Amino acid sequence: MTTTATRPGPRGSATPQAVLEEVFGYPSFRGDQQAIIDHVVAGGDALVLMPTGGGKSLCYQIPALVRGGVGVVISPLIALMKDQVDALEAVGVRAAFLNSTQGPDERREVERALAAGEVDLLYMAPERVTVPSTGELLDRLRVSLFAIDEAHCVSQWGHDFRPDYLALSMLHERWPSVPRIALTATATAATAAEITQRLQLEQARTFVSSFDRPNIQYRIEPKNQPVQQLLQLIRTEHPGDAGIVYCLSRASVEKTAAALVEHGIPALPYHAGLHARTRADHQSRFLREEGVVMVATIAFGMGIDKPDVRFVAHLDLPKSVEGYYQETGRAGRDGLPSTAWLAYGLQDVVQQRQMIDRSEGNAAYKRRMGQLLDAMLALCETVECRRVQLLAYFGQQSQPCGNCDTCLAPPESFDGTVPAQKLLSTIVRLERERRQRYGAGQLIDILLGKRTPRVEQLGHADLATFGIGTELSEQEWRGVVRQLLAQGLLAVHGDGYGTLVITAGSAEVLSGRREVRLRREVARPTRASKRSAPSDLPATASPLFERLRSWRAATARELGAPAYIVFGDATLRGIALTEPRTLDELGQISGVGAKKLDQFGEAVLAIVRGEEAPTGAGSAPARAAVSAAPTFHESPAAGFPVDDIPVDDVPPDDEYFPPPPDDRY
Ligand code: ADP
Ligand code: ZN
């Protein structure tokens, strides 16, 4: 029934379990993988909602191998297709892609291999699937399934919207008997419904995994000196680790990357303003070199499969919980301990509200953006477990996790009614008595009784509330303003200057009808100062782990492939802990499949014995990994009517609006 039996290579049998063990080297399925795979193998359609790192790829890769023929994978990012194909070839799966980075000869060779039945998985972008010549090509082949990766790109509300995804509903009209599996890490019910409707997946079975990522530690702290705070995080908890730092503007990406480099941390910038070649180069270095920190706007990250990203840091407030969860989800796909850290401040709130006010959308759009932001702020200011709140946002219930900042150091809350009244009445007095509005900086100066030149010039020392707030520090006052904004008890005026105005809720606070609970600013916990990946390795296993790591780095360099394509950290950990003496023992370790055993087995055993090991492929052919680093062409290849999105068409990222005149938020 399948081509796997006749094909040369490690597969002897073709049940999903056998493919899992022999090809991928994993002993057992995770979560819903087995149920999803069985359903698709039997020809059913599926919608899979699974968090990043949950193991979505196997859900279509294994059915494609078991069903025989070619599985067509629709993936939005052509710049990543080569790595996806390399990773498959490294485990002995015959994979290929068709996209605009290829010349006509290369493309003809892929078409020949397809016709000869030599390809198990074929990757292409949505634009290509829907053109007539591709249809004719696929008509000549036995297609085992269509996998629609990053299916949330069909959602118009989402920030990854790709119009070409809309046309994918044609797949089941043209090939009604071919099963379709759509996959995404975006979890809200609204997105799932939109995917179902737009891709006409009404008959599909929906599989919703737990969205928990237990190995990620979530932490959110007030932003004071963001670069210093970031340096502290990297130095104490993640020295030498790969990580992603998200910033809102291109300018702050550049500045932050430069600051990290100045402090000896290998950091690279990535944003839509950089040349396509530079972006491709930085992405490739991030994937191939160890310990690179990518400083990026949200234009970076979708589809990045790097499993050993140990931290994701946000230096600005994300616009929604969905975005935050997607971005932080890029940490720790390998299941090892990782950190999601966000620094957020008053200015973020002011700026985001202004961005919404000034955006071009209609009132409904602005209201919706405002609601998304409110949910994000509520997450930042919660005194409850962050994870409980995150999962609840995606409709999933859970218990306090013990691995987030609020669980590790429960924040104190206090009755903030009086400070809130002091602040609000200052705003009211300025409005009523003087027809003036100000931002937080001036208001806090008044409350603290600071006789600044501006206070003197404006005569604010005469206000009844001048100097009545000395019980709190300036920083604490900023926390009060931030939290009142988050609770809707204060608002940013739409004048574009970030001035603060009262709301309906403020009136209740002023009249004493409403109590205000505030969260006290506390010093946040940090993890022990150690490398996180092997930190839970016993001391005796660490030297071996480090030797395996350096062998892996040298091998990957020689092969021109990312290190994780050789072996993931979790697999190296397994080797360091069990010290296998024979190929059989090595083959038992999770992540060591037949091809890698053949290719790297002797070298790994030599390292375990304490010998110098040869790098590279050893005896077996290493065709997959040997292929050169990706090439990137700007222009679509000739002779193809419509083409993939060129690599430089990164979604635009938002720029900051200029800071308001009162720049002391
Ligand atoms: P996703 O696409 O959902 O983000 P991936 O498919 O990239 O996740 O899988 C994440 C990591 O987990 C990969 O390193 C993958 O090899 C590994 N993985 C997936 N399924 C299993 C399994 N059943 N056992 C062990 N590791 C697995
Ligand atoms: Zn928690």
Side-chain angles (χ1 to χ4, degrees):
M1 72 173 243
T2 78
T3 57
T4 50
T6 54
R7 157 191 328 149
R11 282 178 291 282
S13 153
T15 65
Q17 179 67 34
V19 175
L20 178 75
E21 287 175 30
E22 289 166 29
V23 178
F24 296 95
Y26 298 133
S28 54
F29 286 110
R30 272 191 199 155
D32 291 339
Q33 279 177 332
Q34 170 116 52
I36 297 164
I37 290 168
D38 288 346
H39 180 72
V40 177
V41 167
D45 291 341
L47 170 60
V48 173
L49 311 182
M50 200 185 266
T52 309
K56 285 186 284 300
S57 327
L58 292 188
C59 296
Y60 57 83
Q61 289 167 351
I62 291 183
L65 293 172
V66 171
R67 282 174 64 84
V70 59
V72 176
V73 185
I74 295 143
S75 166
L77 296 161
I78 64 173
L80 297 170
M81 285 180 192
K82 180 147 189 324
D83 281 346
Q84 290 171 322
V85 164
D86 281 354
L88 281 168
E89 292 194 326
V91 296
V93 174
R94 303 168 313 171
F97 58 81
L98 280 174
N99 69 32
S100 59
T101 68
Q102 294 162 311
D105 288 349
E106 208 179 327
R107 205 171 300 173
R108 259 194 301 277
E109 166 53 22
V110 172
E111 289 178 12
R112 186 209 57 75
L114 282 166
E118 293 169 8
V119 180
D120 302 312
L121 282 158
L122 175 68
Y123 285 77
M124 59 173 85
E127 300 77 12
R128 185 173 288 265
V129 190
T130 48
V131 300
S133 56
T134 305
E136 286 156 26
L137 173 70
L138 296 183
D139 275 340
R140 293 195 295 274
L141 305 172
R142 193 165 137 230
V143 178
S144 58
L145 55 81
F146 287 108
I148 303 166
D149 205 5
E150 313 283 0
H152 65 281
C153 289
V154 83
S155 157
Q156 269 159 330
W157 282 122
H159 53 60
D160 292 330
F161 177 56
R162 291 275 298 257
D164 292 296
Y165 264 70
L166 294 173
L168 294 176
S169 60
M170 58 72 86
L171 292 176
H172 87 294
E173 286 156 16
R174 178 146 183 180
W175 295 282
S177 61
V178 178
R180 295 173 298 151
I181 170 171
L183 310 102
T184 179
T186 301
T188 53
T191 311
E194 212 177 343
I195 295 172
T196 301
Q197 187 236 323
R198 290 181 192 274
L199 293 180
Q200 296 178 24
L201 281 167
E202 286 84 2
Q203 305 302 317
R205 207 171 132 190
T206 301
F207 295 86
V208 186
S209 301
S210 162
F211 265 76
D212 190 14
R213 300 286 310 282
N215 60 312
I216 299 182
Q217 183 177 94
Y218 295 96
R219 301 196 330 236
I220 300 179
E221 60 181 61
K223 177 153 84 181
N224 302 316
Q225 293 173 297
V227 172
Q228 286 310 317
Q229 288 171 280
L230 176 64
L231 276 170
Q232 159 90 359
L233 172 81
I234 296 176
R235 284 186 177 143
T236 58
E237 297 176 58
H238 293 287
D241 283 345
I244 305 174
V245 178
Y246 282 110
C247 303
L248 210 52
S249 76
R250 299 172 188 185
S252 59
V253 163
E254 293 286 352
K255 224 172 58 197
T256 307
L260 291 182
V261 168
E262 205 175 290
H263 287 89
I265 291 161
L268 297 169
Y270 189 105
H271 56 72
L274 291 171
H275 192 276
R277 240 168 247 285
T278 310
R279 279 202 312 270
D281 174 55
H282 288 184
Q283 174 171 299
S284 170
R285 285 185 58 194
F286 176 71
L287 294 175
R288 279 169 176 69
E289 295 171 18
E290 295 210 30
V292 173
V293 175
M294 188 69 112
V295 186
T297 58
I298 55 166
F300 177 76
M302 183 169 63
I304 294 286
D305 280 346
K306 190 174 167 61
D308 56 353
V309 175
R310 292 271 72 85
F311 68 93
V312 170
H314 281 91
L315 288 190
D316 294 303
L317 186 70
K319 293 189 179 65
S320 68
V321 177
E322 280 98 326
Y324 170 76
Y325 208 61
Q326 286 259 340
E327 286 141 25
T328 54
R330 291 169 187 143
R333 293 164 85 102
D334 54 11
L336 297 173
S338 308
T339 309
W341 177 85
L342 159 66
Y344 114 100
L346 180 52
Q347 191 180 357
D348 290 297
V349 189
V350 173
Q351 213 155 41
Q352 298 258 3
R353 293 256 191 248
Q354 284 177 337
M355 280 163 78
I356 294 171
D357 279 342
R358 292 179 180 186
S359 70
E360 277 159 21
N362 59 20
Y365 171 84
K366 289 183 183 179
R367 198 161 48 244
R368 165 133 177 111
M369 293 299 115
Q371 286 162 351
L372 294 178
L373 178 59
D374 286 343
M376 188 64 221
L377 290 174
L379 174 69
C380 291
E381 299 296 355
T382 187
V383 290
E384 313 284 323
C385 169
R386 306 265 189 216
R387 196 179 311 265
V388 165
Q389 183 138 344
L390 277 166
L391 292 174
Y393 186 80
F394 298 117
Q396 300 185 346
Q397 288 199 343
S398 61
Q399 296 300 313
C401 72
N403 191 26
C404 73
D405 53 0
T406 54
C407 281
L408 292 168
E412 267 177 59
S413 67
F414 67 101
D415 183 348
T417 311
V418 171
Q421 286 171 335
K422 289 178 177 175
L423 176 79
L424 295 172
S425 73
T426 306
I427 296 173
V428 170
R429 278 168 202 280
L430 284 165
E431 269 235 58
R432 300 235 172 100
E433 295 169 15
R434 315 209 177 174
R435 311 228 154 274
Q436 291 171 337
R437 287 200 201 101
Y438 294 93
Q442 184 69 9
L443 295 168
I444 293 171
D445 283 351
I446 294 170
L447 288 163
L448 291 175
K450 284 195 187 166
R451 292 185 179 273
T452 66
R454 194 149 180 243
V455 164
E456 298 288 6
Q457 183 200 336
L458 294 164
H460 285 171
D462 304 336
L463 285 167
T465 57
F466 185 77
I468 61 165
T470 49
E471 73 275 25
L472 297 182
S473 69
E474 178 172 342
Q475 193 166 323
E476 287 168 323
W477 273 115
R478 292 162 77 91
V480 172
V481 177
R482 213 183 58 222
Q483 295 184 65
L484 291 180
L485 280 168
Q487 295 182 24
L489 298 177
L490 187 62
V492 179
H493 188 260
D495 59 9
Y497 294 108
T499 58
L500 298 175
V501 291
I502 59 163
T503 65
S506 325
E508 290 177 25
V509 176
L510 279 169
S511 66
R513 277 178 290 137
R514 176 162 173 170
E515 192 200 69
V516 181
R517 295 303 301 176
L518 295 177
R519 160 189 178 127
R520 206 179 290 286
E521 312 271 307
V522 286
R524 309 310 308 158
T526 57
R527 225 199 296 261
S529 149
K530 251 201 214 154
R531 291 193 50 82
S532 50
S535 63
D536 47 349
L537 273 178
T540 48
S542 288
L544 178 53
F545 180 87
E546 291 305 330
R547 283 195 298 124
L548 287 163
R549 252 168 76 99
S550 45
W551 164 80
R552 177 181 67 178
T555 303
R557 228 179 355 261
E558 205 165 283
L559 301 176
Y564 63 83
I565 284 186
V566 178
F567 283 122
D569 276 0
T571 302
L572 292 195
R573 229 183 134 264
I575 298 171
L577 280 172
T578 53
E579 301 188 27
R581 295 283 155 186
T582 66
L583 287 175
D584 257 6
E585 286 171 22
L586 178 59
Q588 301 299 311
I589 291 167
S590 178
V592 186
K595 174 155 187 207
K596 286 187 183 172
L597 188 64
D598 199 28
Q599 192 174 355
F600 302 121
E602 292 299 346
V604 170
L605 292 179
I607 296 168
V608 173
R609 287 193 300 267
E611 297 161 16
E612 277 297 309
T615 56
S619 54
R623 189 176 68 81
V626 170
S627 37
T631 48
F632 296 89
H633 300 277
E634 253 59 82
S635 55
F640 211 85
V642 183
D643 220 313
D644 318 309
I645 298 249
V647 272
D648 62 345
D649 192 7
V650 172
D653 37 51
D654 294 290
E655 280 292 342
Y656 278 146
F657 287 91
D662 185 348
D663 59 359
R664 287 167 301 149
Y665 287 100

